[in-house]
Amino acid sequence: MNEKQKEPFLWGGATAANQCEGAYHEDGKGLSEADIVLAGKRGVPRERTDGVVEGLYYPSHEAIDFYHHYKEDIALFAEMGFKCYRMSVAWSRIFPNGDDEVPNEKGLLFYDKVFDELLKYNITPIVTISHYEIPYNLIKKYHSWENRKMIEFYGRFCKVLFERYKGKVKYWMTFNEINVNMLHPEHALGIEIKPEENRYQVIYQASHHEFVASARAVCMGHEIDPDNHIGMMMLYPTFYAETCNPQDQWIRLEEMNKHYAFSDVMVRGTYSENMKRYLQRMNVTIKMEPGDEEILKAGTVDYIGFSYYNSNVATSRKDIELIDGNMINSVKNKYLKESRWGWSIDPMGLRIALNELYGRYQIPLFVAENGLGALDEPAEVIEDNYRIEYLKAHIKAMKDAILLDGVDCFGYTVWGCIDLVSVGTGEMSKRYGMIYVDRDDQGKGSMKRSKKKSFWWYKHVIETDGEEL
């Protein structure tokens, strides 16, 4: 589909280890930050416990048990025709405590089997190295990414992955949705900021440590295997100004710049002047070590992966009522419909995202997450026409960006291609999948997999390389 690509367009699906694997303490796996988060409800922050408390329900502990169902699940992905599968590796499955000197061989063997199974079906693995599941020991002992020692621990993790899976994995992303650091640091960075602390100082110093860790990983990954493609991954917010009031337009620009601050460092290898001034206004002083600026410049990414679910509205009004979104709450857009969970549905926002990112950076793009969370009613075949309608419109917008606007985009993966645990609420009832998993919000169910109507629709999309939607 992509006229700029020598390789076939990568159609597929996406998941994250902490939302699908389960087996939270099997085969030597240690606790991760995701393993201490309880189930929640829409609009209510998920509560964290200090370690695992007996008798409480933690959705990640079993999730959909991909750990024991991976062969069945990958066979279903292959039947749908996936060309790629975007997944993550559980850090604490490889290094149970995060600061271990030697990796856990049983954890490495699991991913060997997963990658071998994918490659058996000619499905390209696209691996996120750190996806919201920092080893719990690193949070307790080192205060996570506040501590510069994390660069060393992350580097050890990356080295093991690059060496172990050389020849099996060629596409990597260093951190999931790295700009979520500024929105939900407890979630993305594993950091709880005390009331007396300068929130911005903590977030951006920790983010600097991740920038350096990512840049080092890029350099290392290219050295170990020159064929590696190593990208960044961000949440793309697509902000509109509420009106043509210049103040609304300015606020929209400021909001976008806060997000670009992250991609600027990882793509261009330096802090933008805009970000430097912003940090000054927020009384932030980034402590750098000698050589940091050089490594940021040397370790720029090969491509940008991003998530897109909904767009947002910026306003200068103070008396505003906000609606839900993906990590961001914003003003209601009267021109758009919303999902059952209150997220605006805006396919044009994806076309705008692709154009804005490619226009700013001119490097390849990858739509790493796009999908609709909905309440699927169990049936012999779930008629999820609402999901098909959402995906069809967004794929059409992506095609327009590629074929009409000239954007270089090499792949598209539907988020939660198989039902999984919602990261925001821990619910199973907020379903994204084209494969239904018999599991409820209380962790009950047979785990049986079944195909929704969207399964067959997406299979046809892939068969026709997106020509027939």
Side-chain angles (χ1 to χ4, degrees), residues 9-179:
F9 190 81
L10 293 177
W11 298 98
T15 64
N18 69 89
Q19 293 170 259
C20 72
E21 279 185 6
Y24 86 103
H25 64 358
E26 287 190 46
D27 294 330
K29 181 184 177 298
L31 277 185
S32 78
E33 61 169 317
D35 295 328
I36 59 160
V37 184
L38 301 172
K41 295 180 180 178
R42 178 182 167 186
V44 179
R46 294 176 67 185
E47 183 183 343
R48 287 165 160 74
T49 56
D50 187 7
V52 173
V53 178
E54 191 174 347
L56 299 180
Y57 175 52
Y58 301 86
S60 74
H61 287 193
E62 291 185 314
I64 62 165
D65 197 24
F66 177 80
Y67 195 78
H68 297 106
H69 289 259
Y70 72 91
K71 286 191 176 183
E72 175 188 358
D73 293 343
I74 291 170
L76 287 167
F77 300 161
E79 186 180 349
M80 251 192 292
F82 280 16
K83 307 300 181 189
C84 73
Y85 174 48
R86 184 245 170 164
M87 54 176 282
S88 70
V89 172
W91 190 343
S92 62
R93 203 175 287 287
I94 308 302
F95 288 97
N97 300 299
D99 59 356
D100 316 76
E101 292 288 338
V102 179
N104 172 31
E105 179 61 23
K106 287 184 178 179
L108 290 168
L109 280 170
F110 170 69
Y111 292 109
D112 270 320
K113 292 186 288 186
V114 169
F115 296 142
D116 289 345
E117 197 70 14
L118 289 167
L119 295 171
K120 182 175 87 174
Y121 293 104
N122 295 314
I123 298 173
T124 298
I126 300 178
V127 177
T128 310
I129 295 170
S130 178
H131 191 135
Y132 297 162
E133 49 196 327
I134 297 162
Y136 185 57
N137 177 63
L138 296 183
I139 294 172
K140 292 291 289 183
K141 189 173 177 181
Y142 301 95
H143 300 287
S144 192
W145 285 99
E146 286 188 77
N147 193 323
R148 193 177 169 95
K149 283 183 178 289
M150 289 288 286
I151 298 173
E152 173 193 343
F153 303 141
Y154 180 81
R156 189 181 301 160
F157 178 38
C158 290
K159 186 173 189 291
V160 166
L161 296 184
F162 292 146
E163 291 181 342
R164 177 74 171 226
Y165 305 121
K166 180 180 179 180
K168 293 184 179 183
V169 181
K170 293 190 182 297
Y171 287 91
W172 306 86
M173 290 183 283
T174 52
F175 292 97
N176 182 66
E177 293 182 330
I178 192 165
N179 51 322

Side-chain angles (χ1 to χ4, degrees), residues 226-454:
D227 290 334
N228 274 335
H229 303 276
I230 307 173
M232 68 159 294
M233 199 281 195
M234 68 184 297
L235 176 158
Y236 200 82
T238 304
F239 268 97
Y240 305 125
E242 186 178 32
T243 71
C244 52
N245 177 342
Q247 194 61 33
D248 284 355
Q249 298 290 335
W250 178 251
I251 290 172
R252 182 251 173 210
L253 182 62
E254 282 193 316
E255 289 297 327
M256 291 303 301
N257 280 337
K258 290 175 188 176
H259 294 271
Y260 287 140
F262 290 81
S263 47
D264 281 350
V265 176
M266 301 180 80
V267 178
R268 294 173 172 168
T270 187
Y271 285 80
S272 67
E273 287 303 318
N274 180 278
M275 186 183 190
K276 290 176 183 176
R277 300 299 173 90
Y278 173 72
L279 294 177
Q280 285 177 0
R281 292 198 301 274
M282 297 298 109
N283 296 315
V284 173
T285 302
I286 300 294
K287 182 182 178 184
M288 294 196 188
E289 297 290 332
D292 280 4
E293 291 179 315
E294 288 76 15
I295 191 65
L296 292 179
K297 203 72 178 174
T300 55
V301 294
D302 301 318
Y303 67 93
I304 300 172
F306 69 98
S307 61
Y308 175 83
Y309 295 93
N310 64 287
S311 56
N312 300 281
V313 177
T315 182
S316 57
R317 289 190 296 120
K318 305 301 180 188
D319 56 330
I320 53 174
E321 182 179 347
L322 302 179
I323 64 166
D324 291 344
N326 180 28
M327 306 286 183
I328 302 169
N329 295 335
S330 80
V331 182
K332 179 180 174 66
N333 189 328
K334 65 182 180 181
Y335 299 101
L336 300 175
K337 295 180 180 178
E338 295 159 12
S339 75
R340 187 182 182 95
W341 270 261
W343 297 16
S344 63
I345 297 175
D346 181 14
M348 181 58 78
L350 176 56
R351 183 175 179 181
I352 291 168
L354 286 158
N355 273 273
E356 287 181 337
L357 277 173
Y358 191 62
R360 189 177 183 95
Y361 299 115
Q362 289 90 49
I363 67 171
L365 305 179
F366 169 59
V367 182
E369 295 182 22
N370 177 237
L372 177 70
L375 192 64
D376 295 330
E377 295 294 341
E380 189 171 339
V381 176
I382 294 170
E383 300 276 341
D384 56 340
N385 294 312
Y386 38 85
R387 181 168 294 109
I388 293 171
E389 181 183 344
Y390 176 97
L391 295 174
K392 182 187 296 185
H394 284 76
I395 291 172
K396 171 65 166 58
M398 177 184 67
K399 285 177 60 180
D400 287 346
I402 294 169
L403 300 175
L404 300 181
D405 308 333
V407 171
D408 184 357
C409 176
F410 65 86
Y412 172 89
T413 47
V414 177
W415 173 251
C417 48
I418 181 170
D419 289 346
L420 39 63
V421 173
S422 165
V423 72
T425 62
E427 296 169 297
M428 277 296 301
S429 55
K430 185 184 182 184
R431 297 177 183 271
Y432 286 88
M434 296 169 287
I435 300 166
Y436 185 85
V437 179
D438 180 26
R439 183 83 166 169
D440 67 16
D441 290 344
Q442 288 73 47
K444 298 174 183 175
S446 67
M447 295 285 193
K448 181 183 176 183
R449 275 68 165 151
S450 56
K451 303 163 191 174
K452 305 177 190 179
K453 184 177 179 180
S454 57

